Amino acid sequence: SQTIHQWPATLVQPVGSPLSLECTVEGTSNPNLYWYRQAAGRGLQLLFYSVGIGQISSEVPQNLSASRPQDRQFILSSKKLLLSDSGFYLCAWSVLGGAPETQYFGPGTRLLVL
Amino acid sequence: QKEVEQDPGPLSVPEGAIVSLNCTYSNSAFQYFMWYRQYSRKGPELLMYTYSSGNKEDGRFTAQVDKSSKYISLFIRDSQPSDSATYLCAMSKGAQKLVFGQGTRLTINP
């Protein structure tokens, strides 16, 4: 069966510091991968998605970036965090070319920028 | 106007009640409709998906889609305290991206 991991689970960072969140998927090959942010009491905002190694599409202009160095690894980064980057970050995967487009989520990383 | 509108609640009902959760959408290109359940401080988990108008049942849960009215619903029968969570509707045009509603926070009181 497929599993998705995210770490760290919780992170407290000062404004201006760098960020690196990691997501890995097990039990599947060539997945679509996604990064979402969920602000408190809000829905999910799609940040990035990837259909393959090195292929990243950005949905929202911001100071975040994403990379996919391996098939089942997705990384969310920032060079300098802003207060507004605080939130719950979720990684998700789906079957490449699958329909319907059902996505499966990881446990999330709670980020607090102070 | 948001593509998907969902009443954020909160919604509080007694145990055993029938719960109705709803979303409306504006884009008729949406083909697939999903409901996710999210417990506090956890990632969303897929509950149900459907791609046609009508009803789909899974145990105590029924998903209903009315494409002519651009309206989807999730019904929970015999609600349990363990159903207390935030419920997110999501929909897609069939290729890669999902559009989510804001989520409805539901509490089932024993």
Side-chain angles (χ1 to χ4, degrees), chain A residues 34 38 59 100-101 103 110, chain B residues 32 36 38 41 96-97:
Chain A
Y34 307 82
Q38 186 176 34
E59 290 295 301
E101 178 54 36
Q103 295 179 15
R110 194 161 300 276
Chain B
Y32 302 106
Y36 284 82
Q38 185 177 23
R41 296 180 172 269
Q96 295 161 0
K97 299 182 194 178

Side-chain angles (χ1 to χ4, degrees), chain A residues 32 34 36 38 41-44 46 49 51 59 88 90 94 98-108 110, chain B residues 8 32 34 36 38 40-46 49-51 86 88 92 94-98 100-103:
Chain A
N32 291 331
Y34 307 82
Y36 288 88
Q38 186 176 34
R42 300 282 189 90
L44 276 68
L46 179 63
Y49 72 93
V51 299
E59 290 295 301
F88 192 40
L90 290 156
S94 67
E101 178 54 36
T102 50
Q103 295 179 15
Y104 302 92
F105 287 83
R110 194 161 300 276
Chain B
Y32 302 106
M34 282 141 273
Y36 284 82
Q38 185 177 23
S40 182
R41 296 180 172 269
K42 303 290 185 183
E45 56 178 322
L46 180 65
Y49 72 83
T50 185
Y51 55 87
T86 296
L88 298 146
S92 95
Q96 295 161 0
K97 299 182 194 178
L98 290 181
F100 284 85
Q102 185 177 350

Side-chain angles (χ1 to χ4, degrees), chain B residues 15-109:
Chain B
E15 183 176 355
I18 296 175
V19 177
S20 173
L21 303 167
N22 311 296
C23 289
T24 58
Y25 62 96
S26 57
N27 193 334
S28 58
F30 286 133
Q31 301 176 46
Y32 302 106
F33 305 90
M34 282 141 273
W35 286 96
Y36 284 82
R37 177 175 62 196
Q38 185 177 23
Y39 290 114
S40 182
R41 296 180 172 269
K42 303 290 185 183
E45 56 178 322
L46 180 65
L47 267 181
M48 298 183 70
Y49 72 83
T50 185
Y51 55 87
S52 59
S53 284
N55 294 350
K56 182 177 181 179
E57 193 172 315
D58 184 2
R60 297 185 294 109
F61 297 89
T62 299
Q64 186 177 80
V65 175
D66 182 347
K67 289 188 177 181
S68 62
S69 300
K70 297 190 182 67
Y71 189 88
I72 69 170
S73 299
L74 178 70
F75 298 97
I76 307 174
R77 291 186 301 279
D78 187 25
S79 55
Q80 306 294 311
S82 58
D83 295 328
S84 298
T86 296
Y87 290 80
L88 298 146
C89 65
M91 35 199 92
S92 95
K93 304 168 193 176
Q96 295 161 0
K97 299 182 194 178
L98 290 181
V99 180
F100 284 85
Q102 185 177 350
T104 299
R105 191 171 175 183
L106 172 67
T107 301
I108 309 297
N109 300 303

Side-chain angles (χ1 to χ4, degrees), chain A residues 4-85:
Chain A
I4 178 168
H5 305 278
Q6 286 186 247
W7 63 90
T10 305
L11 192 59
V12 181
Q13 292 284 97
V15 169
S17 64
L19 174 74
S20 180
L21 303 181
E22 191 165 340
C23 169
T24 59
V25 181
E26 296 177 356
T28 187
S29 297
N30 304 315
N32 291 331
L33 294 172
Y34 307 82
W35 278 112
Y36 288 88
R37 177 169 57 206
Q38 186 176 34
R42 300 282 189 90
L44 276 68
Q45 179 187 35
L46 179 63
L47 301 175
F48 302 95
Y49 72 93
S50 172
V51 299
I53 296 173
Q55 300 178 62
I56 309 294
S57 295
S58 174
E59 290 295 301
V60 181
Q62 62 221 318
N63 70 321
L64 299 172
S65 62
S67 61
R68 185 169 176 174
Q70 299 180 44
D71 181 46
R72 289 170 289 178
Q73 184 185 31
F74 206 22
I75 297 172
L76 183 69
S77 304
S78 174
K79 293 182 179 178
K80 287 186 177 181
L81 283 169
L82 306 173
L83 286 174
S84 57
D85 292 324

